[in-house]
Amino acid sequence: MWHHLIWILVLWLLSGITTANQVPQRASEVALIGTNRTLVCNITSVELTVWMFNNKDQLSQGLTIFTPSQYALDVRNDDTQMALTVITADEDDEGLYSCQDQGNPVMEFILTIEIPPTLKFEFSNSIHSTNGTVDVTFTEETAVQCIARGSKPLVSLRWEVDGRGAVGEVATNNSRDDERITVSTLRYIPNVGDKTLACITGGQQVVLSKKVEAKINVMYAPKCSLLISNETTNEFRLFCRCEANPPPNNYGIYVNDSLQSTEKEVFISSQSPAVVFCNASNIIGADTTDPVELGEFHVGQPISGGIIALIVCVLILLILMIALVIVFLQRRKVKKHQDSHGRTLATCEASKIPLPVGGEQGKIEDMSNPSSVPLIDQSSQKAEPSEQMNKEVTEGKGDPSKESPQKAEPSEQNKENTDDTSDPSKVPLMDPSSQRDVPSEQDKDMTNPGEGPEIDKEEWKAKHGDGDDDEDV
């Protein structure tokens, strides 16, 4: 029995030595000031667990808490874990928290309290700020300070212009920890398009980054140009256009070195030459345009809308006139061709019509049978019928059925012409290409078969050639 007691005592001593040499686990915890932070320890016995602060102040024994206004305890995971919650942590709660199980430290926590800074801009006396808007001057270096106070730990600062990293010289001055002040100075030259300037903190774990932002009002002197146009032929419109911030408060338009107007727009006569320019100024500076020489009826820049409309109308009318001339020439050409073709047909028809023989009433004999109609040689035919023919007509001898065979028989040449006319395919047709625009006196006679004798075929052929263009006839 004594042997068993000795062995139990030895094992207890060995376990105590092992526990005493055990190194506790260590962790770092960060809490935002004014918030709760919970520390969790692994244990074997709830009744024998003790929480200590900075290894000198006992906070609890088992489930009993000695300062319930500052701390709270709860057991988790089937009594294998005990959690200590620091309520509304402040700077006094910062330190070392240890968890002891049966008198031995099991876990240690180093709690750090973070405090966010107060952040603001500071500007030199030369920079004016109104309602968060900073007035800066274009092309002039601007110095702006960003100051972070009261942070724990000290924060870092960075700059942004319109959401982009600022381009310029940055100087940062960190004070001692007990003062808790960080100052950053930015020196940069503003651009016309700059809108916002921001200072942003960094370097803390649980405190979110803070940002202070200011609107930038970039001021610059006027940049002017003189616009000249003439709405009518009697006057010019002069407009002094300037870009500036703040807007110009003084304008001047000069004509021949004399002040014409203090407004930015004026109308002057365009009947005589002139030299014009304008200027404008604001609190930053002034600008004057280059002189412009105006002649009579000078067209400035830009061209007015009325002149552009007039040019367009003239071009449209010119195009319409050209189109009408082309149509007229085409129709004239077609009409000329038709008239020429008609004269050709009339001439060809005239060559086939025999000389009419009148009866008592001057009627024309039936020419359905060309062989029965006597043809007269053109060389022997006169413009007016002979007295003998008139006598025969008066006495009723014009009837071919009553005439003697000797008188009714045509000459040899007439026979030949009669044979030709009896067969239409043998009648020579005139080539339209050889027809002249103005017919001769003889052609005029042929176009009026009732007024003159029958034309001789041989003469026609000798003069005009063989008529092969049947299709035109």
Side-chain angles (χ1 to χ4, degrees), residues 32-90:
L32 175 63
I33 190 169
T35 62
N36 297 338
R37 191 66 178 180
T38 299
L39 311 176
V40 180
C41 177
N42 296 323
I43 62 173
T44 59
S45 173
V46 174
E47 291 78 9
L48 298 178
T49 300
V50 176
W51 281 93
M52 301 290 295
F53 179 63
N54 290 332
N55 291 324
K56 59 180 181 177
D57 297 328
Q58 185 175 351
L59 304 178
S60 68
Q61 175 66 56
L63 292 176
T64 303
I65 193 74
F66 300 141
T67 54
S69 61
Q70 291 182 272
Y71 305 100
L73 290 174
D74 66 284
V75 178
R76 303 175 181 179
N77 296 331
D78 298 330
D79 297 340
T80 61
Q81 290 182 335
M82 181 175 286
L84 174 69
T85 300
V86 181
I87 301 173
T88 314
D90 58 22

Side-chain angles (χ1 to χ4, degrees), residues 148-174:
R149 287 187 173 91
S151 65
K152 184 179 180 302
L154 290 177
V155 295
S156 60
L157 299 174
R158 61 186 178 89
W159 294 89
E160 286 185 352
V161 176
D162 291 340
R164 305 182 305 272
V167 178
E169 180 183 351
V170 178
T172 302
N173 180 20
N174 289 326

